[in-house]
Amino acid sequence: MHHLMVFSAIVLCITILMSLYRAVFGPTVFDRIIGSGFIGTKTVVLIVLIGYIFGRPDMFLDLAIAYSVLNFIGTLVISKYILKGKER
């Protein structure tokens, strides 16, 4: 079970790199926002997996919840900023 979680974490890191490419080189601003949102979501899952790998899921689950809230608020703020900039 431990090897499966480590393998899943490695695959998740690879998909984070793919999303990072989209966030940096996305053709539109919305692609970049979606790419950064994907990175945040996958990072939450990665934090939970790391918690299970180290045998401390309770502590890492709290960190994952806090990080997911910050990711959600950050995505909303950036989207609102971009939409408000287009109205001017």
Side-chain angles (χ1 to χ4, degrees):
M1 189 71 175
H2 180 75
H3 295 296
L4 179 65
M5 290 198 180
V6 171
F7 179 74
S8 300
I10 291 170
V11 170
L12 206 55
C13 287
I14 292 170
T15 58
I16 286 173
L17 288 176
M18 292 166 52
S19 297
L20 181 65
Y21 177 79
R22 178 59 65 186
V24 172
F25 298 111
T28 65
V29 174
F30 296 109
D31 290 332
R32 292 179 178 147
I33 291 173
I34 291 172
S36 64
F38 279 158
I39 291 171
T41 304
K42 290 173 187 175
T43 303
V44 169
V45 176
L46 186 64
I47 290 171
V48 172
L49 276 176
I50 290 172
Y52 277 105
I53 289 171
F54 286 116
R56 299 284 315 261
D58 51 344
M59 184 179 82
F60 283 91
L61 195 61
D62 292 339
L63 290 173
I65 290 171
Y67 185 78
S68 66
V69 169
L70 287 175
N71 181 37
F72 178 70
I73 291 172
T75 303
L76 282 180
V77 167
I78 291 172
S79 300
K80 198 79 162 171
Y81 176 75
I82 290 172
L83 287 178
K84 196 171 187 176
K86 283 190 169 192
E87 291 175 359
R88 291 181 187 173

